[in-house]
Amino acid sequence: MAKRRGYHFALLVYFLMCTAQELAASRAGYEYIVEADAWLRLHIVPATWSDARLRCHLEGGVLASPTTTAIATAMSAMMADSKMTTRFVFIGVHALISKGDFMSLDGVPLANLSIRWREWEPNNVKNNEDCVTIDGAGEANDVSCDSPHPYFCRKETAKMTVNKCGTTADGYKLEPRTGSCYKLHRLARNWHRAAMACHAEEAHLAVINSNLESQVLKEIFAAVPNNVIKSGDPNFAFVGVWDWNEHGEWLTVFGESLPEAGFDGWSPNEPNNAGGQEFCGSIKRDGLLNDYPCLIRLPFICEITPK
Ligand code: BGC
Ligand code: CA
């Protein structure tokens, strides 16, 4: 009898392990590569190499390189499974530090990577090919860093834990008064980069839907003193509204007007379009709205709205 129970227990454990594996197989667009104990994501929307690098970084990962044969094999399999119209995918290999000396982003030289050049490559066409793609067969080609390609990001298992805000990104805190999670980024970015950073964390630039939410953001901002804001004006933080048509028609990032969103509290004398280029939305430390130049860097607040 005891033996039988042991058998059933073993079966149960096996079943639970299988289920856990299934769940672990895909998360936030990433696939678990068992042989490498790493997570890979194939971004099929083409981007320049530096935008691809930034996107991976903002997701908490790196632009991936085929550092081992296990990773190289997984990359080929993912490319074969995808619905891409192009054959070439950016990897983290580049020669931007020293021309012709290709290395991965963590400095591993080409000789130690699992890479095979295509015939006649690398050829540095127009002396402008410092970035590297691979094709479905895993063969490498040096290409211009400025031409957009799909790309691979890689994240370590330790960075894949989903928190109670539903994201693998750190720094999000649930606010019971609104039911949303928020994160104030102290490293300043321009408005579009800020939006990109939020999306990379499965969030969006914060949208204020009530006086209460404006108060909540005011408190979150107040908790971050001026001297810990890195490289931007510490008196403003970007949020998810913009004057998309540059004619004073302010919309949220969900396309609603401010009254539709439920909050149109501008700070005194705002919006004033100071300097004629203030088409993106921020809050001041009073928690009220201010128009601000989209291209100047500010701290910013991301939000995850519960599903
Ligand atoms: C003004 C804001 C403006 C900001 C731009 C502030 O002094 O009050 O209206 O958006 O400067 O730098
Ligand atoms: Ca203004």
Side-chain angles (χ1 to χ4, degrees):
M1 197 58 193
K3 211 169 171 186
R4 241 188 124 71
R5 256 210 302 274
Y7 173 73
H8 284 131
F9 181 69
L11 255 184
L12 179 71
V13 169
Y14 177 72
F15 172 76
L16 288 175
M17 277 170 58
C18 290
T19 316
Q21 278 287 323
E22 288 272 297
L23 290 174
S26 172
R27 186 180 302 163
Y30 282 78
E31 277 181 42
Y32 184 60
I33 313 303
V34 186
E35 298 79 8
D37 188 25
W39 295 72
L40 282 184
R41 175 173 180 183
L42 173 55
H43 277 271
I44 60 169
V45 179
T48 65
W49 190 85
S50 60
D51 278 356
R53 180 187 190 177
L54 177 61
R55 175 69 191 218
C56 295
H57 172 72
L58 294 174
E59 288 180 3
V62 291
L63 187 59
S65 295
T67 41
T68 62
T69 44
I71 298 274
T73 306
M75 284 177 165
S76 293
M78 287 170 74
M79 286 166 75
D81 283 351
S82 77
K83 299 218 161 51
M84 292 184 307
T85 52
T86 153
R87 288 170 51 216
F88 302 105
V89 176
F90 271 136
I91 53 175
V93 177
H94 67 92
L96 289 165
I97 295 177
S98 170
K99 215 166 204 4
D101 294 313
F102 291 96
M103 61 181 81
S104 68
L105 276 168
D106 47 1
V108 178
L110 191 74
N112 298 348
L113 297 170
S114 193
I115 279 197
R116 205 172 59 249
W117 291 108
R118 277 159 69 93
E119 206 177 13
W120 314 117
E121 307 293 349
N123 58 356
N124 193 25
V125 167
K126 293 186 183 156
N127 194 29
N128 187 37
E129 299 200 321
D130 296 327
C131 290
V132 174
T133 56
I134 51 169
D135 61 20
E139 292 196 321
N141 180 14
D142 59 339
V143 298
S144 161
C145 302
D146 299 324
S147 49
H149 294 285
Y151 54 99
F152 281 109
C153 301
R154 172 188 177 148
K155 277 177 80 173
E156 302 312 315
T157 298
K159 293 199 170 163
M160 289 302 299
T161 313
V162 178
N163 56 34
K164 61 174 182 257
C165 292
T167 176
T168 56
D170 56 16
Y172 281 85
K173 253 182 80 185
L174 178 65
E175 169 52 56
R177 285 176 289 174
T178 60
S180 277
C181 292
Y182 303 95
K183 173 177 177 179
L184 190 143
H185 280 257
R186 300 161 182 210
L187 180 62
R189 298 188 184 277
N190 73 42
W191 190 83
H192 284 91
R193 288 288 201 228
M196 178 181 178
C198 294
H199 283 277
E201 296 182 336
E202 295 162 85
H204 55 83
L205 275 172
V207 172
I208 307 177
N209 298 108
S210 63
N211 290 329
L212 177 63
E213 194 164 17
S214 160
Q215 173 64 26
V216 164
L217 295 195
K218 178 181 172 181
E219 291 169 22
I220 290 170
F221 205 177
V224 180
N226 283 8
N227 62 0
V228 301
I229 302 290
K230 296 178 198 144
S231 78
D233 189 331
N235 298 305
F236 305 88
F238 276 131
V239 293
V241 296
W242 63 327
D243 178 5
W244 70 283
N245 199 22
E246 305 186 354
H247 282 95
E249 189 192 346
W250 288 85
L251 296 181
T252 73
V253 288
F254 300 125
E256 316 146 294
S257 68
L258 302 187
E260 279 165 358
F263 182 78
D264 66 351
W266 291 93
S267 198
N269 304 318
E270 305 294 350
N272 63 354
N273 196 12
Q277 292 296 321
E278 299 201 313
F279 305 124
C280 283
S282 62
I283 54 167
K284 293 190 183 179
R285 284 194 174 263
D286 60 9
L288 300 173
L289 295 168
N290 169 50
D291 54 345
Y292 197 88
C294 301
L295 295 177
I296 298 183
R297 286 182 288 205
L298 284 184
F300 55 99
I301 304 171
C302 303
E303 175 182 5
I304 297 174
T305 317
K307 290 193 182 89

